[in-house]
Amino acid sequence: MATVLICRRFPRLSRVTAFSTTVKCKAESGSSKSKQEKEENPETANTGTESAATIQLLNPLDYRVLYNPSAYAKSRAASQQHAARSSGQALGETFTSPGTAQVQHTFSTASSQALPPLRNALPKPKSKLLLQQTILAQLSAAQTKEEAENEKTETHDSKEDPRMFQKGRPEYRSLSYDKFEPIETLPLEEGDSILHSVAMCKGSQSPGTITDYFRKLSRLPVEQHATLVSEPRFNTLCCCAVNSIKLFSTSDLIDILKACVRLVFPPTHPLLNACENEFCRRVWDMNLDQLLLVADCWRCLERSVPSYLSILFSYANMHWKGLALPQFVQLVYIIGEGRRSPADLTQKVESMILKYLDSFTLEEVGAICLGLFKSLSGISDHVMRKIADRVSLQMEDMSTYALVNVLKMLRYTRMDHLPLLKGLGKVIPARIPTINIQGIMHITLTCSSLHYFDKGIMAAVAMSLPSKVTYCRSKDAAKFLWSFGCLDYEPPNEEEFYSSLIEQMHRKLHEFGRFPEHLLTGLLGLAFVKRFPEELIDYALRDEFVQKTRGSKYELKKDLFTLSKSVEIECPSYQGSRLPPHLYQEITEMVLNFAEQEIYVRPEIVEAASLLESMLGGPKYVKNHMILPHTRSSDLEVHLGMDGHPIPFNLKDPIADKKLKDIGVSLTDDLMTQLIKGRSYSQSPVEVENEARTPGQAGGKEARTPHAGDRAALSGGALIAGARLQVEPKSGRCLEAPSSLALDRQPRGVKLAIQVSNRNHYCYCSKRLLGLHCLKRRQLQQLGYVVVELPFWEWFPLLKRTRLEKLSYLHYKVFDPALLSR
């Protein structure tokens, strides 16, 4: 193994505040380290000067290992790891070995350090022989380290781990293929004798003899299988089987297919083509056990057989009432592996789940959830809640793999099952170090998708991730960044955590051409927590990459818009690529059209806008719009002078304002009762969180018609109970601010961005703001706005109260003396 010197450019990372980069490299040889410090001027961060380090890797870069990342349980024993590697070629992804040099990035606000070339840190050998001895010693140490690390390598068999449920009942033996079933090995001499007979007979063997030959040859030692499949005499045997395909009994044909599985036939082998056609012809003459076993063999062979599965599902649909529990679970597993959901089976699947739910093993529950998730099968909230109820009671006894499968389905159905989520916080943190990287990703993504923040889970993930980051696919790295950014959580090891993931994004840059959505997902997650890696952003905003996003199955224009505008506001020194103006205009129009139909017309927003107009003196004092369209939520903009008087500014588009007022339905008592279920605004945020819903229609007559007497109604004496500000009588056009504001007269004023929030802006059952809305408020403040919130736990209950109470509340919010002091 040769010593390779590699010069690597570490990415620049812009932050809102000044920052610097620290690179730490640990050589496995235990050699001495040296550091070189250099102060970095944030003002010149974009001039093209970059930190560089030369790293001596003891393993060459082209050293690769096979890795199957789809399972989440503990690594198997060493013998099973070997088997997983041997089968991984057709299934897994190939990952570059992390080698024996560990590279970490740490970002701080104090200093910047660059690591000198590692060779400078090594003692100088006195001779060529000594140099060779030094290298050999390093390689020996590296190999020892690698052997030790192999015991902890995330090596899993993606064919077998999803099938663990089949170990729980003996009935599955007749429904599925078990490659671990012990068989007597055939001596090589006997195998050669069989092949000799095939060559001599030249196709004259009977179907029974052909079947017997396949059974015996599949028992040859595993290391002989690849040679056998390419052996000309064995190909002659396969041709004989194809020619006699219609003459085999069904059981003999199944035995031949099982032999093909054991010998690891390539999915496109001509014999498999003939077998598939024959099984499709025989479906209606076979029993369900045989049909499921054949489907399982196709799965083991990694062969797509849509025609066979379609007939199988039709058969199952006709014999549904006769399905036993193992047959049902195996069928759902096959549905998932086939990645298609038979529409006519959906209701029947739900009824069977409810029928057998208490009888399923926990592994079977996980298998059913995985099958539904992979096939994108819809499932009712009622059935999903029943599954979650069952799991939440026995979570400690459930394997991590099965539990993660349940979480996938929980995420897919958007089910906020609090007992299960709370149980997750008790069970998962201790398991994180033993879970495969994709399992950790799905756990983290479930939390962020359901807006559920559990500090214990997130901290455990963050501490475990840097040492496993090289196993992350581009998708995994992006989802981790998104999840932490979405929940606005920066862990205790945030610099190590983020720098390791950003480095992995650089390593996986070649994958983003095929999956552009992953790059944007990761960059937005970073933007939520004020991190802007300039090189990745420059790549994402180039014309070539923007063109690639058009070919994605996802709509990525809004994500590009959010990223580009965020960089424009928060990174004024950024000199990289930007979106072209015409694309800005196109996306802005798209976002604003959506807002006019779906956001501006929400009752809680229309009501607040209407009452503010009445209180302040008319439409010219309030503007209901998106100050920052790239944040995809609306604001009620109000301007105040430093003397406390509202300033008219919305003078350009009275027609649009009138149009907004004419949209909607009446805010009747029934509607408001449905909205907040009759709770008073003294409820706790958690109670309102669980009961309030975000309406999607506009307010009605009361919201549309400003009352001229509203200001006068607030002018006499103390306000009603619940109001926290007393307003003195005041004559004039507009309701005046408290006198304390009027005393501080300065030539400039203040712009208010009033946020009418809803529960989807916050983490579940908490007041923790989500990352996108943190980003929005941060950028509004950066642009000179003072953010004023009407939180849903206060404003939603008030919608059912009297007009005077609502006006009092808004008056307190708008004329808060603390606002102008900012």
Side-chain angles (χ1 to χ4, degrees):
M1 191 176 294
T3 301
V4 179
L5 294 179
I6 297 170
C7 186
R8 168 120 182 157
R9 295 169 60 203
F10 292 108
R12 293 172 294 172
L13 185 76
S14 293
R15 294 203 62 174
V16 176
T17 57
F19 70 94
S20 60
T21 306
T22 302
V23 182
K24 299 179 182 178
C25 293
K26 299 179 182 179
E28 299 301 335
S29 61
S31 61
S32 60
K33 302 177 184 179
S34 64
K35 296 184 180 179
Q36 199 173 39
E37 296 191 1
K38 180 181 178 183
E39 292 299 325
E40 181 181 40
N41 185 353
E43 297 299 325
T44 60
N46 298 306
T47 61
T49 303
E50 299 174 3
S51 300
T54 302
I55 303 172
Q56 186 179 36
L57 295 184
L58 300 178
N59 283 347
L61 265 193
D62 59 352
Y63 176 74
R64 307 181 79 80
V65 292
L66 294 178
Y67 168 60
N68 289 308
S70 66
Y72 317 120
K74 267 190 175 181
S75 296
R76 301 183 184 282
S79 61
Q80 293 186 1
Q81 287 180 358
H82 176 76
R85 285 195 186 93
S86 65
S87 65
Q89 186 69 40
L91 291 172
E93 299 184 28
T94 306
F95 286 75
T96 303
S97 168
T100 57
Q102 296 177 350
V103 182
Q104 297 176 330
H105 292 267
T106 306
F107 300 90
S108 66
T109 57
S111 67
S112 177
Q113 297 174 331
L115 187 72
L118 187 60
R119 59 177 179 269
N120 293 344
L122 293 173
K124 257 187 185 177
K126 296 182 179 179
S127 67
K128 185 175 180 180
L129 177 61
L130 183 56
L131 175 61
Q132 292 174 344
Q133 291 173 346
T134 302
I135 294 174
L136 287 174
Q138 292 172 347
L139 292 176
S140 176
Q143 288 168 352
T144 303
K145 176 71 173 180
E146 184 180 347
E147 288 170 3
E149 288 298 321
N150 280 343
E151 296 301 317
K152 299 182 289 184
T153 300
E154 295 183 355
T155 307
H156 300 272
D157 190 335
S158 61
K159 285 182 180 178
E160 289 304 314
D161 286 314
R163 301 158 64 85
M164 294 305 294
F165 71 94
Q166 295 170 350
K167 314 299 181 189
R169 298 180 192 271
E171 293 91 335
Y172 287 111
R173 293 174 188 167
S174 63
L175 307 175
S176 60
Y177 175 83
D178 183 5
K179 79 172 187 178
F180 296 110
E181 181 183 1
I183 57 172
E184 183 181 354
T185 303
L186 186 77
L188 295 179
E189 297 78 10
E190 189 172 346
D192 191 64
S193 174
I194 291 173
L195 293 176
H196 180 72
S197 298
V198 171
M200 294 298 293
C201 294
K202 296 181 180 180
S204 61
Q205 297 93 342
S206 67
T209 302
I210 294 174
T211 304
D212 188 55
Y213 284 171
F214 270 100
R215 290 193 193 103
K216 289 180 177 178
L217 291 172
S218 68
R219 289 163 38 208
L220 283 169
V222 173
E223 58 270 17
Q224 297 296 321
H225 288 178
T227 304
L228 175 67
V229 173
S230 61
E231 163 71 49
R233 293 175 295 177
F234 183 74
N235 288 334
T236 301
L237 180 63
C238 291
C239 291
C240 293
V242 171
N243 294 332
S244 306
I245 197 78
K246 296 183 184 301
L247 303 178
F248 292 107
S249 68
T250 299
S251 60
D252 283 348
L253 197 58
I254 290 175
D255 282 348
I256 291 176
L257 188 62
K258 290 169 72 174
C260 294
V261 176
R262 193 173 293 114
L263 293 169
V264 195
F265 267 40
T268 56
H269 196 283
L271 176 57
L272 298 183
N273 296 338
C275 286
E276 181 186 351
N277 292 333
E278 186 61 20
F279 279 122
C280 286
R281 190 180 68 83
R282 297 189 188 197
V283 163
W284 299 103
D285 298 322
M286 297 164 63
N287 61 49
L288 187 57
D289 282 12
Q290 290 175 321
L291 293 173
L292 292 171
L293 174 57
V294 170
D296 200 61
C297 289
W298 293 131
R299 162 60 187 143
C300 294
L301 287 163
E302 290 287 294
R303 181 180 171 92
S304 176
V305 286
S307 297
Y308 179 82
L309 292 181
S310 180
I311 302 172
L312 167 62
F313 298 151
S314 297
Y315 184 101
N317 194 35
M318 293 184 62
H319 299 82
W320 194 259
K321 292 183 179 179
L323 255 64
L325 186 151
Q327 291 175 325
F328 169 71
V329 178
Q330 181 69 15
L331 178 64
V332 175
Y333 166 74
I334 294 298
I335 288 173
E337 297 307 303
R339 300 302 199 276
R340 44 177 309 226
S341 173
D344 53 350
L345 293 183
T346 302
Q347 292 297 324
K348 294 178 178 179
V349 167
E350 288 199 3
S351 66
M352 283 296 237
I353 291 174
L354 294 176
K355 176 181 177 181
Y356 289 125
L357 184 57
D358 293 333
S359 302
F360 290 138
T361 65
L362 292 174
E363 293 301 312
E364 287 172 332
V365 172
I368 287 170
C369 287
L370 182 61
L372 295 173
F373 178 79
K374 283 186 173 183
S375 62
L376 301 179
S377 298
I379 186 173
S380 67
D381 287 353
H382 173 68
V383 174
M384 190 64 236
R385 192 165 295 280
K386 289 287 187 182
I387 293 174
D389 287 342
R390 165 87 194 274
V391 170
S392 64
L393 296 175
Q394 298 177 282
M395 198 178 299
E396 296 84 355
D397 304 323
M398 199 169 194
S399 74
T400 304
Y401 183 79
L403 180 56
V404 167
N405 291 337
V406 174
L407 295 181
K408 289 179 182 178
M409 204 58 199
L410 200 72
R411 185 176 84 230
Y412 181 74
T413 56
R414 306 290 298 174
M415 174 66 67
D416 50 350
H417 193 280
L418 196 56
L420 190 150
L421 293 172
K422 285 184 175 179
L424 207 63
K426 297 176 182 177
V427 171
I428 284 297
R431 296 190 188 183
I432 289 294
T434 65
I435 303 176
N436 177 279
I437 197 69
Q438 287 193 35
I440 299 175
M441 182 273 286
H442 279 294
I443 292 167
T444 311
L445 185 59
T446 296
C447 290
S448 66
S449 296
L450 299 179
H451 297 171
Y452 182 75
F453 177 72
D454 185 290
K455 187 174 181 179
I457 294 175
M458 302 302 286
V461 170
M463 297 305 294
S464 177
L465 194 63
S467 64
K468 300 183 176 186
V469 75
T470 52
Y471 296 114
C472 286
R473 303 164 300 172
S474 58
K475 176 181 179 179
D476 301 323
K479 297 298 187 183
F480 280 123
L481 290 172
W482 169 266
S483 297
F484 276 74
C486 176
L487 297 176
D488 191 39
Y489 177 63
E490 297 206 17
N493 64 332
E494 60 176 294
E495 302 301 350
E496 180 189 23
F497 172 79
Y498 280 112
S499 61
S500 67
L501 282 170
I502 291 169
E503 273 298 299
Q504 186 66 2
M505 295 280 279
H506 275 268
R507 284 190 286 265
K508 294 296 180 182
L509 200 61
H510 62 281
E511 294 184 14
F512 296 129
R514 291 181 56 205
F515 307 105
E517 61 274 9
H518 297 333
L519 179 58
L520 295 178
T521 294
L523 290 176
L524 285 177
L526 286 166
F528 293 162
V529 291
K530 300 186 288 186
R531 293 177 182 265
F532 298 90
E534 294 183 12
E535 292 179 354
L536 290 176
I537 291 170
D538 175 64
Y539 179 82
L541 297 181
R542 291 177 191 170
D543 290 341
E544 304 94 301
F545 185 82
V546 172
Q547 289 301 319
K548 289 176 181 177
T549 64
R550 298 180 187 276
S552 172
K553 61 181 179 180
Y554 303 100
E555 172 53 67
L556 301 178
K557 288 182 181 178
K558 293 179 183 177
D559 291 343
L560 285 167
F561 186 43
T562 301
L563 176 64
S564 186
K565 280 295 185 182
S566 294
V567 171
E568 184 179 307
I569 294 171
E570 300 203 54
C571 302
S573 62
Y574 171 75
Q575 299 295 321
S577 303
R578 298 181 185 272
L579 291 183
H582 72 87
L583 196 55
Y584 271 141
Q585 183 177 358
E586 176 188 338
I587 303 172
T588 301
E589 289 178 0
M590 178 175 66
V591 171
L592 294 179
N593 287 337
F594 173 80
E596 288 179 0
Q597 299 173 23
E598 300 292 337
I599 299 178
Y600 299 156
V601 296
R602 290 175 180 167
E604 68 274 17
I605 295 176
V606 172
E607 179 81 344
S610 177
L611 290 169
L612 283 170
E613 289 176 6
S614 297
M615 184 176 78
L616 299 176
K620 60 185 177 181
Y621 293 94
V622 183
K623 188 172 184 180
N624 181 6
H625 70 132
M626 287 184 173
I627 299 174
L628 302 177
H630 65 278
T631 62
R632 312 173 201 178
S633 56
S634 69
D635 316 270
L636 299 174
E637 186 172 355
V638 172
H639 293 186
L640 295 178
M642 293 308 294
D643 59 358
H645 286 81
I647 300 173
F649 70 99
N650 186 23
L651 308 173
K652 295 182 180 179
D653 196 8
I655 297 177
D657 187 77
K658 182 178 180 182
K659 178 182 176 182
L660 177 63
K661 293 180 183 179
D662 290 339
I663 297 174
V665 296
S666 298
L667 282 172
T668 63
D669 288 342
D670 288 342
L671 176 59
M672 296 316 303
T673 300
Q674 293 175 21
L675 180 66
I676 56 176
K677 298 189 177 179
R679 298 292 184 129
S680 69
Y681 66 97
S682 61
Q683 281 178 287
S684 69
V686 171
E687 289 173 321
V688 178
E689 166 79 32
N690 292 331
E691 305 226 22
R693 291 294 181 268
T694 304
Q697 295 180 336
K701 186 174 182 180
E702 182 183 355
R704 294 196 304 266
T705 309
H707 287 209
D710 285 335
R711 297 184 299 282
L714 289 171
S715 63
L719 296 176
I720 53 169
R724 290 165 287 180
L725 184 67
Q726 185 166 340
V727 184
E728 299 297 330
K730 199 83 174 179
S731 60
R733 183 181 179 94
C734 301
L735 181 65
E736 298 291 338
S739 57
S740 60
L741 295 184
L743 293 176
D744 185 15
R745 298 179 180 275
Q746 297 180 18
R748 61 187 182 86
V750 61
K751 295 183 294 183
L752 305 184
I754 301 174
Q755 314 282 296
V756 184
S757 68
N758 62 62
R759 65 178 191 150
N760 292 325
H761 294 179
Y762 289 86
C763 291
Y764 183 60
C765 289
S766 80
K767 293 184 181 180
R768 186 184 188 89
L769 204 61
L770 294 173
L772 175 62
H773 302 284
C774 289
L775 172 143
K776 174 183 176 178
R777 297 187 186 192
R778 184 174 74 235
Q779 292 179 3
L780 284 170
Q781 291 168 354
Q782 204 157 340
L783 294 175
Y785 285 87
V786 174
V787 177
V788 176
E789 183 182 9
L790 310 184
F792 71 92
W793 58 85
E794 294 177 358
W795 182 240
F796 274 43
L798 268 174
L799 292 176
K800 205 180 176 202
R801 306 295 288 245
T802 67
R803 188 178 186 83
L804 185 58
E805 288 176 288
K806 289 179 276 193
L807 286 167
S808 299
Y809 175 80
L810 292 174
H811 185 272
Y812 167 78
K813 285 287 187 178
V814 171
F815 295 112
D816 183 353
L819 295 180
L820 296 183
S821 67
R822 299 181 192 178

